[in-house]
Amino acid sequence: MNDSRPRTPVDFWFDPVCPWTWLTSRWMLEVEKARPVAIAWHVMSLAILNEGRLDELPERIRDLMGQAWAPVRVLTAASQAHGPEVLEPLYTALGTRFHRQQQPRTRPTVEAALRDVGLPADLADTGDTDAYDELLRASHQKGLALVGEEVGSPIIAVPGPDIDTGQVAFFGPVVTPAPKGEQAGRLWDGTLIVASTPGFYEIKRSRTVGPVFD
């Protein structure tokens, strides 16, 4: 996009195992081409979000939560060792393998994703430890503090009128397949309109299809 306007900073919190978050993230990369925005990527964790209530979840979701720790720990460790700019390419590598290629959420897949982006494969060791959990939890809580406890991944925040944070934040949008080109830009425009409307909290309808990874 050839646009001389100042770029709007966008903070995007994600958990890499969530297929719906993956679609929203691919939409945001399209938005970055169609509108003057600059995305900063942050890690959040569905495993942390669901701590203390795993017994209430369906078995398949409990299994997913067990697989969710290692990828976010590795992302956090990679960001600390190599800078936050590695988060998007590593997330893209992980998500491509997890979602588009339907590879298992296991250490060999994480190692392959690390190699995809030129990072040391032994960073996968951090997925089996809690060494970076304090930083992970801080990143997770920073996003959640903007929107409340009744949401999941992803969380998006942009400059807004809140007197404490100077931002407006929201969960989602949940959309499939990920819009492209000007359609992506139009959805962004509309999302900002509703999200920045004082007192606006929710718009929703039942999902009739699963995530489409085109």
Side-chain angles (χ1 to χ4, degrees):
M1 181 188 65
N2 185 13
D3 195 324
S4 60
R5 291 176 293 173
R7 289 184 173 266
T8 299
V10 178
D11 290 295
F12 189 102
W13 279 265
F14 66 94
D15 185 312
V17 303
C18 175
W20 296 102
T21 299
W22 171 253
L23 290 168
T24 307
S25 72
R26 300 310 95 180
W27 164 65
M28 278 306 310
L29 291 175
E30 288 290 313
V31 172
E32 201 168 34
K33 301 173 188 175
R35 296 293 186 269
V37 304
I39 306 169
W41 302 84
H42 310 277
V43 184
M44 66 179 297
S45 171
L46 292 175
I48 293 174
L49 190 68
N50 287 291
E51 279 182 323
R53 61 187 192 97
L54 289 177
D55 291 344
E56 304 170 16
L57 303 176
E59 184 178 357
R60 64 179 182 86
I61 302 299
R62 290 200 302 271
D63 291 343
L64 180 61
M65 293 305 96
Q67 301 164 11
W69 280 104
V72 290
R73 285 168 165 169
V74 171
L75 280 156
T76 303
S79 177
Q80 287 298 302
H82 300 277
E85 62 272 12
V86 305
L87 285 176
E88 187 278 318
L90 181 53
Y91 175 33
T92 292
L94 287 166
T96 297
R97 290 178 176 274
F98 290 163
H99 306 303
R100 295 195 65 179
Q101 299 174 6
Q102 293 295 295
Q103 295 183 17
R105 298 173 179 88
T106 57
R107 177 172 177 137
T109 304
V110 173
E111 290 178 341
L114 287 163
R115 288 192 293 267
D116 287 343
V117 295
L119 292 174
D122 60 8
L123 272 171
D125 292 343
T126 61
D128 299 321
T129 77
D130 61 2
Y132 290 88
D133 282 10
E134 184 175 351
L135 291 169
L136 169 60
R137 289 177 183 277
S139 176
H140 172 89
Q141 189 55 42
K142 186 174 181 179
L144 213 62
L146 296 172
V147 290
E149 300 289 336
E150 298 179 0
V151 303
S153 174
I155 294 168
I156 295 175
V158 295
D162 188 282
I163 58 173
D164 295 319
T165 67
Q167 292 180 297
V168 59
F170 50 89
F171 160 72
V174 176
V175 60
T176 189
K180 295 179 173 60
E182 182 57 21
Q183 186 181 21
R186 290 180 61 196
L187 176 58
W188 176 249
D189 297 340
T191 299
L192 290 186
I193 290 172
V194 297
S196 61
T197 299
F200 184 90
Y201 291 107
E202 186 171 359
I203 184 170
K204 190 173 183 178
R205 58 185 171 189
S206 297
R207 301 177 196 171
T208 58
V209 297
V212 177
F213 308 118
D214 58 356

